[in-house]
Amino acid sequence: MLKVKVNDIDIEVDEGLTVLQACEIAGAEIPRFCYHEKLSIAGNCRMCLVEIEKSRKPVASCAMPVTEGMNIKTNTKLVEKARKGVMEFLLANHPLDCPVCDQGGECDLQDQSMFYGIDKSRFKENKRFVPEKYMGPLIKTQMTRCIHCTRCVRFATEVAGVPEIGAIGRGEDMQITTYLEKAMESELSANVIDLCPVGALTSKPYVFEARPWELKKTETVDVMDAVGSNIRVDTYGWEVKRILPKINEDINEEWISDKTRYACDGLKYQRLDVPYVKKENNFNKISWTEALKILKNKINSTNPEKIAGLTGDLTNMETLFACKELFQKVLKSKDLESREKNIYINLNSRKNYLFNSEIKGIEKSDLILLIGTNPRYEATMLNARIRKSFLKNNTEIFSLGDLGDLTYPYKVLSNSTEEVKKIIENNSDISKKIKNAKYPLVIFGESALTLNSSKYMFEGFKKFLNENNKINEEWNSLNIIHSNASTVGSFDLDIVSKTNDTLEKIDNNFFELIFLIGRDNFSFTKKNEFIVYIGSHGDKGAEMADLILPGAAFTEQDGYFTNLEGKLQMAFKASYPPGEAKEDWVIINEISKLVHNDILFKDKNELVSAMHNYLSFSKKNELSSLFKEEYISEKIFTLPIDYYHSNVIARSSKTMNECRNIRTKLKKTGTEG
């Protein structure tokens, strides 16, 4: 520890900290533009100048390391004069267009100029003009406002791993650009908007939509993947205007993916707001009373063995639990399934289907083995952690098969189960590397768990890691990446068909009545089945339905989700369902009352209490298993992911469609609308 003095206050700080960090520990606020805690130090803006005893001139606090006995002053006349001089230079070429700038109300330059700005500039020359740069459909540029802090450049290079933004020219002629004037090919690109301390980079879909003080702000969690990124949903009336990241160092730090940020406009389009029934191949609007009457008649005339239910990828846990109770107690059916594919999963213990090393644990890993997963598209924020681990620890990363660009280097191994067999039988160099590593990660993707040999691979690796003490109280190397927000919660609630062949029976047209509860990532050849769809959007599930009951999206109801590392998270209600749509659990409750003459739950509190009760007693945390599976030789393929169309909200989003068209290089025809 080093002893220093800040504004005559004695403090102790860790060695290696900067003067700026020491000042913050002492409670002294230091203005800054170029400095950011998650990025490398640039020292460009000089706004953070402080006075240090025995120093001849003010010092940039962001780039100066603390030394023993340092006496720092942050509020002297010299410091104030220096900062005012810097601010005058920063505003010399600035267009001063605050009334029309989307950054207004959230602009660091605006805030700091209140303290250090002057009423009249001494700069009399013509202001420079920098033409707008194209950075894709998400980022709007106004580069005349740019103050050359280079935050965006450092983020793209260091965090996103896509070094497509840089600077050309020098001094006043310096320009930030993507060089070739093309869209940034990163799933994290829009984070540069949050990083920009001025209005040079703003949100293109959000342009001129609202001012920040007009919006209702709700802190909640993301459901675009299973990571559970913490977000803030900003609404104006019913409409979700934008989504921003909320800092959570354990999960998403202060970043979010572009899909998390911009798929929200999909909440406006293709919405179901009244019940529909299909007659003569056309959907007709009906009342809730009529819809429930049709459903009652169909349930009463159907054998329970011929009733099945499929839950969706965005379904909250309250709805899942209500469905479970409905099928068990009212419909008397055993065929309720949450899986999209027949993936192998061992439900005896939570640790068999979690990311056990935790997302923050990735940062200390020294070896990573990827099996049938592409984390860049399946869990973007998790992939950013892997890149961070590589940069920090020079982590060795291996993949069974070539996955393309993951934003970090990795070694490609044979994509066959033969390679897995060699590893778990100690006949491979990778076996030795895993045993010698202190914090190795073995990461399975759902693609690997769909194979005939999935049980052999998973249980074999579990046995291998157990034998080499890589699964213990301190560290668990066995991990699974799930791509859907509802997956872990559905496994916690045992929403897996008892017969384990529900999906196969559906493909063989065994059932007469099928419930799709928010299930859209699903297709089969329909014959005579009566399909009931409960959901928010007119997508794949609604298209094949005979009866549609309009539900609520994740921003329109309170609901629990469990992320891939097993953390129970609450998604809070930010808006309300459109038209006659109802919260999903309410619809399930009404179906129960209709068929059983009794509701399942008196209110939401009773439902949540019953669900928590079930979760408390349903799972053990044992990893022991008998490994007797036979080896099957086959190729391990990572299934392709349509990243921008991964769920019903994203498919309904105009912004995501535009991003997808750019990614797939689709040309516009002029008929898109």
Side-chain angles (χ1 to χ4, degrees):
M1 299 291 281
L2 301 175
K3 292 181 179 179
V4 298
K5 188 176 282 189
V6 179
N7 296 334
D8 300 322
I9 300 171
D10 292 314
I11 61 167
E12 288 188 357
V13 298
D14 293 327
E15 199 169 343
L17 292 186
T18 63
V19 170
L20 188 149
Q21 291 169 316
C23 291
E24 287 190 334
I25 291 170
E29 188 176 343
I30 306 292
R32 83 291 300 265
F33 292 117
C34 68
Y35 176 79
H36 192 276
E37 292 82 355
K38 301 293 182 184
L39 304 175
S40 60
I41 295 169
N44 294 340
C45 72
R46 320 308 284 183
M47 197 66 204
C48 64
L49 293 172
V50 297
E51 190 177 349
I52 298 177
E53 193 177 67
K54 298 179 181 179
S55 178
R56 294 174 58 192
K57 56 185 180 180
V59 173
S61 60
C62 69
M64 175 65 72
V66 174
T67 57
E68 180 70 34
M70 194 175 263
N71 188 1
I72 307 160
K73 302 283 186 180
T74 69
N75 52 9
T76 64
K77 286 186 178 179
L78 176 65
V79 169
E80 188 177 350
K81 185 181 177 183
R83 290 175 182 172
K84 282 189 174 183
V86 171
M87 180 60 69
E88 190 175 1
F89 272 115
L90 291 176
L91 294 177
N93 281 308
H94 198 278
L96 303 175
D97 56 349
C98 298
V100 297
C101 179
D102 265 324
Q103 196 84 353
E106 299 173 317
C107 177
D108 292 346
L109 186 64
Q110 200 176 55
D111 294 341
Q112 296 303 331
S113 65
M114 289 292 292
F115 292 95
Y116 302 104
I118 53 176
D119 62 342
K120 193 179 289 184
S121 176
R122 290 173 287 176
F123 189 78
K124 301 298 182 186
E125 287 75 19
N126 289 330
K127 296 194 175 193
R128 66 167 186 173
F129 172 77
V130 183
E132 184 176 333
K133 311 293 183 183
Y134 177 74
M135 290 190 182
L138 307 179
I139 305 167
K140 178 179 170 49
T141 63
Q142 187 88 343
M143 303 314 291
T144 307
R145 300 170 185 158
C146 180
I147 61 170
H148 303 156
C149 72
T150 67
R151 281 187 180 183
C152 54
V153 177
R154 285 174 283 150
F155 174 83
T157 305
E158 297 164 15
V159 180
V162 185
E164 295 178 331
I165 301 179
I168 57 173
R170 294 185 68 186
E172 192 181 59
D173 296 324
M174 178 177 165
Q175 296 183 26
I176 303 296
T177 175
T178 54
Y179 304 116
L180 299 175
E181 299 277 322
K182 68 183 189 70
M184 280 184 69
E185 292 186 4
S186 169
E187 297 72 37
L188 298 170
S189 64
N191 286 289
V192 299
I193 297 166
D194 298 332
L195 285 171
C196 185
V198 296
L201 305 176
T202 53
S203 173
K204 194 177 278 187
Y206 178 68
V207 64
F208 304 137
E209 284 286 325
R211 290 296 193 182
W213 54 84
E214 297 175 319
L215 302 172
K216 176 192 168 191
K217 301 168 179 65
T218 308
E219 294 181 352
T220 181
V221 294
D222 170 48
V223 300
M224 294 295 114
D225 55 31
V227 173
S229 299
N230 285 217
I231 58 173
R232 194 187 85 196
V233 176
D234 290 359
T235 53
Y236 187 86
W238 170 79
E239 189 179 337
V240 175
K241 287 292 184 183
R242 65 178 183 177
I243 288 177
L244 298 175
K246 179 178 174 286
I247 296 174
N248 187 322
E249 294 295 342
D250 291 344
I251 299 175
N252 57 301
E253 298 184 279
E254 53 190 274
W255 323 120
I256 52 172
S257 69
D258 292 348
K259 183 165 60 174
T260 297
R261 188 185 297 268
Y262 285 120
C264 60
D265 66 326
L267 294 165
K268 293 189 295 186
Y269 306 114
Q270 288 186 240
R271 293 303 304 271
L272 301 172
D273 55 1
V274 294
Y276 290 89
V277 67
K278 188 180 282 183
K279 290 180 181 176
E280 298 175 356
N281 243 9
N282 291 316
F283 285 109
N284 300 307
K285 293 182 182 180
I286 55 173
S287 68
W288 272 100
T289 306
E290 291 174 298
L292 292 172
K293 189 178 177 182
I294 293 169
L295 181 56
K296 182 182 179 181
N297 292 335
K298 190 64 189 176
I299 292 171
N300 289 338
S301 62
T302 307
N303 187 320
E305 290 182 0
K306 296 286 184 175
I307 301 175
L310 298 175
T311 61
D313 55 326
L314 307 179
T315 311
N316 61 49
M317 292 177 70
E318 289 93 327
T319 303
L320 290 171
F321 187 71
C323 285
K324 184 181 177 72
E325 294 290 285
L326 177 73
F327 269 70
Q328 285 185 352
K329 296 178 179 178
V330 179
L331 303 179
K332 310 295 183 185
S333 170
K334 298 178 180 178
D335 290 289
L336 182 64
E337 180 62 81
S338 64
R339 294 173 294 177
E340 291 181 3
K341 301 175 283 291
N342 259 325
I343 63 171
Y344 169 73
I345 212 76
N346 184 345
L347 293 179
N348 293 332
S349 166
R350 290 191 88 214
K351 292 181 180 179
N352 287 319
Y353 53 82
L354 295 182
F355 196 90
N356 293 296
S357 304
E358 299 186 342
I359 296 168
K360 67 177 180 181
I362 296 171
E363 288 190 30
K364 63 180 183 182
S365 64
D366 47 3
L367 183 143
I368 298 173
L369 175 62
L370 303 173
I371 305 172
T373 180
N374 186 327
R376 178 171 178 178
Y377 300 127
E378 292 175 22
T380 303
M381 298 316 307
L382 188 145
N383 193 64
R385 290 275 189 164
I386 297 177
R387 172 170 171 79
K388 190 176 179 181
S389 175
F390 167 74
L391 294 175
K392 182 180 171 185
N393 308 328
N394 199 24
T395 305
E396 280 195 287
I397 304 169
F398 301 90
S399 169
L400 297 187
D402 192 349
L403 302 171
D405 183 12
L406 293 180
T407 72
Y408 44 80
Y410 60 93
K411 296 172 184 174
V412 179
L413 307 175
S414 169
N415 66 328
S416 70
T417 52
E418 181 65 33
E419 189 71 37
V420 174
K421 187 171 185 286
K422 285 179 185 176
I423 296 171
I424 62 181
E425 291 181 355
N426 284 311
N427 295 324
S428 168
D429 290 339
I430 307 298
S431 310
K432 296 172 186 174
K433 286 178 180 290
I434 292 173
K435 286 194 283 187
N436 294 332
K438 193 174 180 181
Y439 299 111
L441 294 182
V442 176
I443 303 176
F444 281 89
E446 290 182 349
S447 296
L449 300 176
T450 60
L451 302 174
N452 295 322
S453 55
S454 57
K455 188 173 182 181
Y456 170 84
M457 290 193 295
F458 184 80
E459 300 296 342
F461 255 109
K462 188 195 316 180
K463 182 172 180 283
F464 171 75
L465 294 170
N466 259 319
E467 287 173 349
N468 291 284
N469 198 32
K470 302 305 177 186
I471 297 177
N472 50 57
E473 290 186 7
E474 183 192 355
W475 184 256
N476 189 333
S477 296
L478 189 65
N479 302 283
I480 294 179
I481 288 183
H482 297 289
S483 50
N484 294 335
S486 67
T487 300
V488 175
S490 65
F491 291 162
D492 280 346
L493 294 169
D494 297 309
I495 311 292
V496 175
S497 63
K498 302 297 181 188
T499 56
N500 214 36
D501 59 354
T502 300
L503 295 175
E504 190 179 333
K505 283 182 177 178
I506 288 175
D507 287 336
N508 294 330
N509 304 102
F510 175 81
F511 298 107
E512 296 174 5
L513 175 59
I514 301 174
F515 287 85
L516 302 180
I517 302 97
R519 183 64 162 260
D520 289 281
N521 295 349
F522 167 73
S523 62
F524 81 110
T525 306
K526 182 183 173 185
K527 287 188 177 178
N528 299 316
E529 297 90 345
F530 188 90
I531 295 178
V532 180
Y533 177 75
I534 302 171
S536 58
H537 285 73
D539 199 71
K540 297 176 183 177
E543 285 173 6
M544 65 175 71
D546 297 283
L547 182 67
I548 296 174
L549 305 178
F554 80 102
T555 55
E556 296 158 5
Q557 55 187 328
D558 291 331
Y560 283 98
F561 290 87
T562 303
N563 76 342
L564 52 75
E565 59 182 2
K567 287 179 177 172
L568 191 65
Q569 300 174 303
M570 185 71 169
F572 289 100
K573 185 175 182 175
S575 182
Y576 47 88
E580 297 177 25
K582 300 179 181 182
E583 292 188 21
D584 297 351
W585 79 272
V586 173
I587 299 172
I588 304 296
N589 224 16
E590 289 186 3
I591 294 171
S592 172
K593 187 179 180 181
L594 192 75
V595 179
H596 207 242
N597 294 321
D598 193 18
I599 55 175
L600 291 166
F601 307 100
K602 288 186 295 185
D603 52 31
K604 186 73 173 285
N605 290 334
E606 187 181 340
L607 166 57
V608 171
S609 179
M611 183 187 77
H612 283 308
N613 236 13
Y614 182 88
L615 292 172
S616 302
F617 299 103
S618 66
K619 291 286 179 236
K620 298 176 183 177
N621 273 321
E622 299 170 1
L623 264 167
S624 59
S625 74
L626 297 172
F627 179 54
K628 294 181 179 177
E629 287 302 308
E630 291 185 11
Y631 166 71
I632 303 169
S633 179
E634 57 185 324
K635 294 290 183 183
I636 302 171
F637 292 106
T638 303
L639 299 172
I641 297 166
D642 195 347
Y643 177 75
Y644 293 109
H645 271 191
S646 61
N647 59 60
V648 61
I649 297 174
R651 285 193 289 274
S652 304
S653 165
K654 290 184 177 181
T655 308
M656 291 296 98
N657 278 309
E658 196 171 348
C659 290
R660 183 173 181 261
N661 290 344
I662 288 172
R663 176 69 61 85
T664 54
K665 296 180 173 57
L666 291 177
K667 292 183 179 178
K668 291 190 175 183
T669 62
T671 60
E672 293 83 359

